[in-house]
Amino acid sequence: MSRLFAKAARLTSKTANNPLPGGCPRLEMNDTVDAVPPPYSEQNRIWDAAGQTLPKHISEAPKLIAIMGPTGTGKSTFISKLATREMKIGHNLSSSLSKAPASNDGGSGTEEVEEVPCKVGDQYVILVDTPGFNDTNRTDTEILTALADWMKSSYHGDMLLSGIIYLHAISDTRMTQSNVQNLRMFRKLCGDDNLKNVILATTKWSVTPLVDAERREKDLTSETGFWRTMMAAGSVVRRFENSAKSAKDLVEEILDMGQTFVPTIQKEVVGGMKLADTQAGAFIEETIALLQKNHDEEKQALLEEFQRAKNEHNRSMQEALQDERQRLDKKMADREEEQRQLHMTTNEALQLRIKRLEEAHVEEEQNAQKFIEFRSRLPKRDKNKVKLGFWHLSWRCQICKKKAELEGHWMCPDCGHVQQNIH
């Protein structure tokens, strides 16, 4: 929490008076960037935040690689194969992004952009865990704001990307609307000129029948496939096989490219553009406008159905339609708020994020207090079985004390003891 507030304060001070502080050159859209090793100050901060120490004398600066893709494709899983600390991995139907700030003590995902230091061979690397768009907990505008802030902060810290690994779950039976939206948004963020620095990696091969997985991979890369245009621009297709070796191979392939680049969104925000004026922001506005049009049509249909139900004196139908109308009105209000946020200045957006972080911190403390009260009501013999996790209960085996996030009647995976957890 304190690190996020400090980062927000640092960004606010940098952008308040000068969009390009520290003597950084103003970037034009067609500028290229030489692969010059940056100073180590910002990298040292990242290593310190992870409780590690970056050696003072290393041959070259750590490389920065972003891991991107829709929610649930395995970004945190990928990074966990190389990270020296435990990553938070989500397995819920809703997004793995929690409403509270990321914590190393538990939880199921990353809310903010998260920098994870690791070492691949002899090279020090920073893997960047990014949130996916079309998320169940946050709007696309909020996610774009987080990415844009990180892009601006990393540029001012003299940290440039060496490459991007974009993940896609091969277990998906088809390219859903969410997948297509994420892919289109990714191209707006990256820029077609930078696609040669991108690896398109498929994940979840181990949980997908091989015949189905190979067919879907062929569909993605065919002449009419969703990835064909990106491949023509220089992107390569690889498989992530859920192992440390596979993750290492993909990272090393990025490192072998031996160059750095500035994504389109980074050029835009460092150059002083408002989010609404960026390519990604304009895409979100188009999406919001289309959704608002659909909402208007749906609302008109609901009004007509409500009038029919009223004429037929069908009170239960009237109540159901009224509830549906209220739900639709709330969605429309949310879209309008999202559009308003898109046109905020940098400082206004940061203040809003700080406010929400404070609210999330209060909610976290309230939940912790509720848990303490719950635990105090447990019989004494059960208090050693449960402790405070992050938004959930963690149980321990009565015999070997193995921690397990299981409920009800379960068998310990280590010693085989069978027990019942009772709230």
Side-chain angles (χ1 to χ4, degrees):
M1 175 65 68
S2 60
R3 183 167 68 89
L4 288 171
F5 281 130
K7 183 174 182 179
R10 190 167 64 252
L11 281 169
T12 303
S13 64
K14 284 182 176 181
T15 58
N17 300 315
N18 183 0
L20 295 171
C24 291
R26 180 175 295 278
L27 283 173
E28 300 298 335
M29 293 302 295
N30 295 322
D31 282 353
T32 58
V33 180
D34 295 329
V36 178
Y40 296 167
S41 57
E42 186 69 7
Q43 287 88 336
N44 281 325
R45 178 191 65 75
I46 295 170
W47 253 263
D48 291 343
Q52 303 174 39
T53 301
L54 181 65
K56 293 182 179 179
H57 304 290
I58 57 178
S59 58
E60 50 182 330
K63 304 298 184 183
L64 194 66
I65 300 175
I67 312 300
M68 304 185 75
T71 299
T73 53
K75 296 187 292 292
S76 295
T77 299
F78 179 94
I79 294 175
S80 71
K81 300 301 179 182
L82 300 173
T84 55
R85 62 177 174 80
E86 185 178 354
M87 293 293 296
K88 302 165 291 300
I89 301 170
H91 299 286
N92 298 326
L93 290 177
S94 63
S95 166
S96 65
L97 299 179
S98 72
K99 293 182 180 180
S103 164
N104 294 339
D105 299 327
S108 57
T110 305
E111 179 180 353
E112 298 294 318
V113 178
E114 186 175 4
E115 301 146 329
V116 182
C118 58
K119 189 177 182 182
V120 178
D122 295 329
Q123 178 67 58
Y124 289 91
V125 177
I126 299 169
L127 298 179
V128 185
D129 194 2
T130 63
F133 288 88
N134 208 14
D135 185 74
T136 53
N137 288 329
R138 293 195 300 171
T139 66
D140 284 351
T141 297
E142 292 172 325
I143 294 169
L144 177 60
T145 300
L147 280 171
D149 287 348
W150 178 82
M151 287 286 185
K152 186 182 292 186
S153 177
S154 64
Y155 178 79
H156 289 311
D158 295 321
M159 295 168 57
L160 301 178
L161 283 170
S162 293
I164 299 174
I165 299 175
Y166 184 90
L167 302 184
H168 171 81
I170 205 68
S171 56
D172 291 347
T173 57
R174 60 185 178 84
M175 280 291 285
T176 63
Q177 182 181 359
S178 175
N179 288 339
V180 174
Q181 291 287 92
N182 268 275
L183 192 61
R184 292 181 65 190
M185 176 62 77
F186 171 71
R187 291 186 62 176
K188 301 290 185 184
L189 293 167
C190 181
D192 288 349
D193 292 342
N194 297 314
L195 290 176
K196 60 182 178 294
N197 302 298
V198 174
I199 291 178
L200 302 168
T202 49
T203 64
K204 303 193 177 181
W205 284 81
S206 61
V207 297
T208 309
L210 184 59
V211 174
D212 293 337
E214 289 179 339
R215 186 188 71 251
R216 292 166 193 164
E217 182 183 50
K218 186 177 180 180
D219 290 341
L220 287 169
T221 58
S222 68
E223 289 295 331
T224 57
F226 285 95
W227 285 359
R228 194 62 192 178
T229 304
M230 300 174 69
M231 293 167 61
S235 298
V236 295
V237 177
R238 299 289 185 263
R239 298 178 183 180
F240 171 55
E241 298 176 347
N242 200 29
S243 66
K245 181 183 182 303
S246 181
K248 179 173 177 286
D249 289 344
L250 293 178
V251 169
E252 286 181 339
E253 186 168 356
I254 292 286
L255 297 177
D256 289 342
M257 295 177 184
Q259 58 185 349
T260 57
F261 68 101
V262 179
T264 296
I265 183 64
Q266 193 168 39
K267 293 178 183 178
E268 292 171 329
V269 296
V270 169
M273 276 192 184
K274 288 185 178 180
L275 279 186
D277 297 328
T278 65
Q279 292 186 35
F283 178 69
I284 290 178
E285 279 218 288
E286 291 174 10
T287 304
I288 292 174
L290 181 60
L291 289 172
Q292 286 175 332
K293 180 182 177 182
N294 292 339
H295 286 162
D296 291 340
E297 295 173 355
E298 190 176 347
K299 186 174 181 179
Q300 182 60 36
L302 282 174
L303 289 172
E304 293 173 2
E305 288 185 43
F306 183 83
Q307 189 59 47
R308 283 197 297 270
K310 187 176 181 180
N311 294 338
E312 296 170 1
H313 304 288
N314 188 338
R315 295 188 63 84
S316 60
M317 179 60 72
Q318 291 179 56
E319 292 175 358
L321 291 171
Q322 187 66 27
D323 290 342
E324 181 65 15
R325 181 179 175 180
Q326 291 175 356
R327 181 193 66 80
L328 187 62
D329 287 341
K330 184 180 183 305
K331 285 179 66 176
M332 292 180 71
D334 291 342
R335 296 299 178 187
E336 291 171 359
E337 172 62 18
E338 182 177 0
Q339 200 165 29
R340 186 184 71 82
Q341 292 175 22
L342 201 57
H343 288 267
M344 284 181 173
T345 64
T346 302
N347 284 344
E348 288 173 341
L350 284 171
Q351 291 303 320
L352 179 62
R353 289 179 64 203
I354 289 172
K355 179 182 177 182
R356 291 187 175 178
L357 286 169
E358 290 172 341
E359 291 172 349
H361 182 59
V362 170
E363 186 177 352
E364 181 183 352
E365 290 182 334
Q366 290 173 345
N367 276 271
Q369 184 59 39
K370 288 179 182 178
F371 177 84
I372 292 171
E373 294 173 359
F374 159 77
R375 191 175 185 276
S376 68
R377 296 194 297 270
L378 283 174
K380 186 175 181 179
R381 68 177 186 278
D382 291 333
K383 287 186 178 180
N384 67 329
K385 300 178 189 175
V386 62
K387 69 175 185 178
L388 178 60
F390 193 78
W391 305 101
H392 64 274
L393 302 179
S394 299
W395 299 87
R396 290 185 180 275
C397 174
Q398 295 168 306
I399 304 300
C400 70
K401 310 304 180 186
K402 169 75 175 181
K403 175 182 169 183
E405 296 176 3
L406 302 170
E407 296 183 1
H409 193 76
W410 63 282
M411 177 183 291
C412 176
D414 274 21
C415 70
H417 174 70
V418 177
Q419 70 182 50
Q420 179 81 16
N421 293 334
I422 303 174
H423 289 294

